[in-house]
Amino acid sequence: MGPVTADYEPLPADQVLEGVEHVMTQAGVRQSVLKADSSLIFDDSAAIHLRGVNLDMFNEQGRLHATLTSAQGRLDQNSNQMVAVGSVVLVIHEGANAGRILTEELHYDPQQRVVWSNVRTERVFPGGQRGTMDSFRADDRFGNFQMQGYRGYAPQLRF
Amino acid sequence: MMRRLLYPALALLLVPAAARGQSCDVVSSGTTSFVNQGTPQEMVFVTIPVLACPGGRRISADNAYISQASGVVQLMGSVQFQDSARTLRSTNAQYFSRAQRLSASGSVVLVHRTTNSTIRSEQLEYTEATPQRPSHVQAMGGQPVAVFRQAGQPDSTVLRAQQIDIFNDDRLRGTGDARLERDSLVALAMIIEYAQSDGRLDLSGLRTQVNLPRYELIADSTTVTLGDDEQIREVLARHSASLDAEDMDVSAGAIRLFFEDGGVTRMVAMPWTPRPGAVAAGQARVVNEQFNMVADSVDVLAPRQQLQEAVAIGRAHVERATPDSLRPYLPEAADDIMRLIAHDWMEGDTVRAFFTGPVDPVVAAQAAADAAPGDTAAARAAAAAAAVPPGDPSERVLERLYASGGPARAMHKMRPENAAVDAKLSIAYLVGQHVEVTFIDGVVSLVSASEDVRGVYLQPADAARRTDGQPANPRARR
């Protein structure tokens, strides 16, 4: 634990890492790269608390597919599951769901290749149109995307 | 009176041309699943969707399934599809975006919200207009019913048929046991078609029927033409037509009725070329309680709906119904003989019958007073008319029959001069270029004929003895 003075907020962790970069792979293929401004590690927990999160997600071709940023996050060292919390912005760079997803909490399971959120989430399309959903679940390529209570712009619904 | 069958545009604006290719907004939904996005197998499932689409269209259903590859949208359960003016409700619906066709099934109701015009059926197909085709609404199954109303007007046009088609919001067709009701008009046919642009209602199929107050018209094909004043202008019934009217029955190859102010002012019964293989209709036949007219064609004029003249042209034969019968006196007569002499008749190339209102007793009394000295028959007829109470002014009576050409032939019965009411009848048979018989109150008043007239006058033996040495029939003139 670092020095504690009246001017510094105590960090309730056993270890604090700065400028962490965590590369997640599957079968040797890079799936995502997690960067955090700082990481708080606890001796009695497998969860790493992240601050200043930036997650790059890659497709099978190794191309950057999506980027996630959030104020905080939590990474399970055993499963690599991650939860981004606070001002979460997921930018999908390509594909039918290109655009931004804004929420306060977003889960990512690299093993299952699933992204989801159980709280209100907003979608912003490349043209600036918006849609809102109560929750969603998608694969990390966003080819399969399931939303609950969606309302707003829906480019796929053409009549 | 029948008003024009104007009906509002019932075809839905599925995808206005300006909105084609634009996407809808989701107003609310349950679960929305995009599957295989970015691939040819891309599909979208939405539960309880409410969509707001370009052009003011709104779509809702229990479930929606969209296949981007096939361009097919399936709406399942409690489907509601509405545009700015119309609403379609059904159990299920499919929209084929590439074919621009909507197929709705299950308790389909299409409503024009402003006028409350509706179409109800079990199935409804709607094909949008393209440069190559008109828009087309087809309702079928479950005894389709279309009710057309004008905004702010209580009256309606109701069409029932096994299948109802609307083309380009302009042409309406009911197929299979079709029945159209509009004001006082009821039309029944295998197929009923109405073209709004030219105000024409066509009925076809065996034994089409048009019912109007006081008229029932039956034929294998009928056309009703409407004027700009929203009233029937003309009805043409073709192929074995028959008319059952309040005051006459007509049968002919074709019957044409002309209307003014909602009433018939002229009726023409005429021949019509039969359909291939069909039996040709006989001569036109008009039967009235006063006369029976048979000819190639019969033209009845009734301006202001007052029977004025009936003209039978071509092998014309007209019988005048008379109360007197010779049957009791000639029990041994053969049927064809009895048919010949049972009623007064006239024949010729043309026979014209003229009608007038009931005899005014005052006028008739004056006529009796003015009768020429010695013209006892005229005086007696006029006096008899004068004794009759005034009749219904709308009632029309036969005033005169005129036969010409052919040559003209006439047979009529009459009682000799000064004979009692129950005296035996005399029979006059005349042949000439023309023959004319005038009646007063149903009694032969005057017979005139062309110079070439010839014939016989048969009197009962006792009357012949009384008139021995006198002219047989002083009322006859050449």
Side-chain angles (χ1 to χ4, degrees):
Chain A
M1 182 175 283
V4 177
T5 69
D7 298 329
Y8 289 89
E9 180 188 355
L11 290 171
D14 298 307
Q15 295 179 57
V16 176
L17 303 178
E18 293 183 2
V20 173
E21 181 171 314
H22 180 68
V23 180
M24 294 176 241
T25 61
Q26 187 160 36
V29 177
R30 184 177 65 169
Q31 261 189 302
S32 57
V33 175
L34 172 65
K35 296 174 187 169
D37 293 342
S38 58
S39 303
L40 280 63
I41 301 172
F42 302 88
D43 292 341
D44 59 352
S45 172
I48 299 176
H49 288 225
L50 308 169
R51 293 189 177 178
V53 178
N54 186 311
L55 176 72
D56 290 333
M57 302 163 77
F58 300 88
N59 63 15
E60 283 90 343
Q61 289 75 40
R63 214 168 46 236
L64 179 64
H65 179 62
T67 301
L68 180 150
T69 58
S70 67
Q72 298 180 42
R74 194 168 63 245
L75 175 69
D76 186 318
Q77 295 181 82
N78 297 329
S79 63
N80 274 343
Q81 279 192 21
M82 186 194 134
V83 183
V85 179
S87 304
V88 181
V89 178
L90 174 65
V91 180
I92 304 169
H93 299 291
E94 58 183 15
N97 278 304
R100 287 180 294 150
I101 289 178
L102 312 175
T103 186
E104 286 301 307
E105 181 183 300
L106 189 137
H107 299 256
Y108 173 48
D109 183 343
Q111 288 186 347
Q112 299 296 323
R113 309 199 68 152
V114 178
V115 177
W116 75 94
S117 175
N118 294 321
V119 300
R120 185 175 182 275
T121 301
E122 190 170 16
R123 285 187 70 177
V124 181
F125 293 87
Q129 304 92 338
R130 289 171 180 265
T132 304
M133 64 202 92
D134 297 332
S135 63
F136 82 93
R137 186 178 181 87
D139 62 39
D140 62 357
R141 293 181 58 208
F142 302 99
N144 297 296
F145 201 106
Q146 187 176 81
M147 305 175 284
Q148 300 294 331
Y150 183 78
R151 56 267 184 203
Y153 182 66
Q156 296 89 343
L157 302 180
R158 289 195 171 90
F159 286 90
Chain B
M1 187 177 83
M2 174 186 163
R3 299 170 79 82
R4 196 169 182 179
L5 306 175
L6 285 169
Y7 56 84
L10 269 168
L12 284 163
L13 292 172
L14 291 181
V15 183
R20 200 152 287 145
Q22 295 183 32
S23 58
C24 303
D25 283 342
V26 179
V27 176
S28 65
S29 65
T31 300
T32 305
S33 300
F34 296 96
V35 179
N36 300 323
Q37 285 196 102
T39 72
Q41 292 76 39
E42 185 173 331
M43 291 179 290
V44 182
F45 299 94
V46 190
T47 63
I48 50 173
V50 177
L51 308 179
C53 301
R57 296 165 303 131
R58 199 174 179 93
I59 300 162
S60 63
D62 289 345
N63 294 287
Y65 161 69
I66 301 152
S67 168
Q68 303 289 2
S70 64
V72 176
V73 178
Q74 290 197 36
L75 301 167
M76 292 157 281
S78 307
V79 176
Q80 183 162 315
F81 197 117
Q82 70 182 51
D83 62 17
S84 55
R86 292 141 288 222
T87 300
L88 172 79
R89 291 192 193 88
S90 65
T91 305
N92 298 304
Q94 280 185 299
Y95 175 61
F96 302 87
S97 60
R98 287 177 195 150
Q100 296 175 40
R101 182 166 64 86
L102 176 78
S103 174
S105 61
S107 304
V108 185
V109 182
L110 179 57
V111 180
H112 189 280
R113 292 195 303 278
T114 307
T115 63
N116 207 27
S117 294
T118 59
I119 295 180
R120 292 174 189 273
S121 63
E122 271 306 298
Q123 270 195 294
L124 186 139
E125 303 270 341
Y126 170 60
T127 311
E128 288 178 281
T130 68
Q132 291 78 35
R133 69 184 185 208
S135 69
H136 179 201
V137 176
Q138 184 175 76
M140 59 204 143
Q143 291 297 314
V145 180
V147 180
F148 302 103
R149 295 184 179 91
Q150 289 289 296
Q153 293 185 11
D155 53 347
S156 62
T157 299
V158 180
L159 174 63
R160 299 170 198 275
Q162 291 175 8
Q163 180 177 306
I164 294 173
D165 294 272
I166 300 173
F167 301 93
N168 221 23
D169 264 348
D170 174 67
R171 197 155 57 85
L172 171 70
R173 183 172 68 199
T175 306
D177 298 329
R179 178 188 177 95
L180 184 139
E181 297 172 34
R182 172 71 175 173
D183 290 341
S184 54
L185 174 124
V186 178
L188 304 164
M190 185 59 70
I191 298 172
I192 295 177
E193 280 192 284
Y194 176 65
Q196 187 159 266
S197 55
D198 54 6
R200 186 181 152 129
L201 182 70
D202 282 306
L203 285 67
S204 55
L206 294 176
R207 312 324 288 154
T208 67
Q209 190 170 329
V210 172
N211 293 340
L212 287 160
R214 303 168 59 200
Y215 304 99
E216 181 182 284
L217 194 55
I218 296 175
D220 286 351
S221 174
T222 302
T223 298
V224 179
T225 307
L226 305 169
D228 293 334
D229 56 357
E230 301 188 0
Q231 293 190 22
I232 296 178
R233 196 173 64 210
E234 187 181 321
V235 177
L236 173 61
R238 304 173 292 273
H239 305 295
S240 302
S242 66
L243 171 69
D244 184 357
E246 193 176 72
D247 50 2
M248 71 173 65
D249 293 338
V250 183
S251 62
I255 297 173
R256 194 170 213 147
L257 301 177
F258 297 87
F259 290 73
E260 279 179 20
D261 300 326
V264 175
T265 55
R266 186 180 179 193
M267 187 282 299
V268 181
M270 56 193 167
W272 199 268
T273 305
R275 291 192 168 116
V279 177
Q283 283 186 288
R285 178 180 294 273
V286 178
V287 179
N288 174 282
E289 63 177 7
Q290 298 181 65
F291 65 89
N292 184 350
M293 196 172 258
V294 179
D296 290 345
S297 73
V298 178
D299 191 348
V300 178
L301 303 173
R304 297 180 301 283
Q305 299 176 56
Q306 298 278 303
L307 181 58
Q308 183 182 72
E309 183 179 352
V311 184
I313 301 170
R315 299 178 295 151
H317 175 93
V318 176
E319 283 184 6
R320 188 175 73 96
T322 53
D324 298 316
S325 171
L326 297 179
R327 171 59 78 182
Y329 306 106
L330 298 168
E332 72 286 2
D335 287 346
D336 56 344
I337 297 295
M338 280 314 300
R339 273 198 297 275
L340 193 64
I341 60 175
H343 297 288
D344 292 359
W345 56 263
M346 287 183 116
E347 283 185 353
D349 179 67
T350 301
V351 177
R352 305 167 81 97
F354 299 90
F355 298 84
T356 186
V359 177
D360 185 335
V362 175
V363 175
Q366 186 61 46
D370 296 345
D375 192 353
T376 53
R380 187 176 56 181
V388 175
D392 177 358
S394 67
E395 191 176 309
R396 307 296 287 175
V397 295
L398 183 61
E399 179 189 44
R400 189 157 51 98
L401 281 171
Y402 177 89
S404 61
R409 301 192 300 151
M411 192 289 291
H412 60 270
K413 301 187 293 291
M414 56 199 307
R415 289 198 165 78
E417 294 290 320
N418 305 317
V421 175
D422 58 351
K424 292 179 181 175
L425 293 163
S426 300
I427 297 174
Y429 174 69
L430 301 172
V431 179
Q433 273 306 303
H434 66 78
V435 178
E436 182 172 12
V437 180
T438 304
F439 308 92
I440 293 181
D441 197 38
V443 175
V444 175
S445 165
L446 183 66
V447 178
S448 62
S450 55
E451 291 293 332
D452 64 337
V453 69
R454 60 192 188 284
V456 293
Y457 181 71
L458 305 174
Q459 285 183 295
D462 52 347
R465 280 193 295 275
R466 284 200 305 275
T467 59
D468 189 23
Q470 297 178 22
N473 183 4
R475 281 176 277 166
R477 291 178 187 164
R478 282 191 178 182

